């Protein structure tokens, strides 16, 4: 947060970073430009992250999650989190987020009779390829890109 606000004060970013918000693309790009290797940002405020992310037991206002930012301005390439394993907590989080309960019954069923602590992650393959290959834009990594005027390969 301090790095982002210092960047705002020097004019490198257009908006100050307010604690409690999620990073935007300009924030991630600027931050990843400050390092020569991947950087891990973890424990975001829970209220800006997905309902299924486990709260930090030491500070429930934070989520047990991580983003990996590739260096040189490529931004986020991996996002991951520990998942809520408690049925009761998951159920209450669905309600807190105002999500349609019927749509998530299958997800609640995965916890209904017990679960174990577990996590998941997603990797942006195209973003990783852009970073590794030093490409200017992620569009260059997609072999059969769908654009406004091109639906079929």
């Amino acid at each position: 947060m301090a790095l982002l606000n210092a960047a705002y004060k020097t004019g490198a970013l257009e908006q100050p970073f307010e604690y409690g918000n999620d990073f935007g693309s300009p924030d991630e790009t600027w931050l990843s430009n400050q390092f020569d290797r991947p950087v891990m940002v973890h424990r975001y405020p829970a209220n800006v992250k997905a309902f299924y992310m486990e709260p930090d037991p030491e500070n429930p206002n934070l989520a047990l999650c991580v983003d990996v930012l590739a260096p040189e301005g490529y931004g986020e390439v991996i996002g991951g989190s520990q998942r809520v394993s408690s049925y009761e907590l998951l159920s209450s989080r669905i309600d807190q987020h105002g999500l349609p309960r019927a749509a998530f019954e299958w997800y609640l069923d995965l916890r209904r009779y017990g679960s174990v602590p577990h996590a998941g992650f997603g990797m942006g393959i195209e973003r990783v390829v852009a970073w590794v290959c030093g490409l200017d834009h992620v569009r260059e990594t997609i072999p059969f890109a769908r654009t406004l005027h091109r639906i079929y390969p």
Side-chain angles (χ1 to χ4, degrees):
M1 185 170 85
L3 287 173
L4 293 173
N5 284 326
Y8 168 72
K9 289 177 184 173
T10 64
L13 290 172
E14 291 182 12
Q15 296 181 353
F17 181 77
E18 187 175 318
Y19 181 80
N21 291 337
D22 203 354
F23 285 160
S25 180
D27 301 320
E28 288 178 349
T29 301
W30 183 87
L31 194 56
S32 67
N33 262 318
Q34 307 312 302
F35 299 92
D36 63 354
R37 61 194 62 161
V39 159
M40 298 177 85
V41 181
H42 59 93
R43 288 182 169 78
Y44 287 87
N47 63 344
V48 299
K49 296 313 250 180
F51 73 94
Y52 54 77
M53 292 186 180
E54 183 77 36
D56 184 340
E58 294 178 18
N59 182 352
N61 294 322
L62 302 176
L64 294 178
C65 61
V66 64
D67 285 343
V68 178
L69 308 179
E72 303 160 354
Y74 284 95
E76 181 184 340
V77 291
I78 297 173
S81 70
Q82 183 171 329
R83 308 303 201 230
V84 171
S85 54
S86 159
Y87 173 86
E88 291 77 18
L89 178 57
L90 186 60
S91 178
S92 70
R93 296 292 301 271
I94 288 170
D95 294 339
Q96 289 169 6
H97 280 76
L99 298 169
R101 195 165 183 82
F104 291 96
E105 282 301 324
W106 68 271
Y107 198 61
L108 285 167
D109 280 347
L110 298 174
R111 311 299 192 285
R112 196 173 310 275
Y113 304 107
S115 185
V116 296
H118 62 286
F121 79 99
M123 181 183 340
I125 298 296
E126 290 89 356
R127 291 181 184 201
V128 171
V129 170
W131 166 47
V132 170
C133 295
L135 301 174
D136 290 330
H137 200 282
V138 71
R139 282 189 302 247
E140 298 176 52
T141 68
I142 303 170
F144 303 107
R146 293 183 183 162
T147 62
L148 183 60
H149 301 290
R150 183 174 160 210
I151 298 174
Y152 301 103

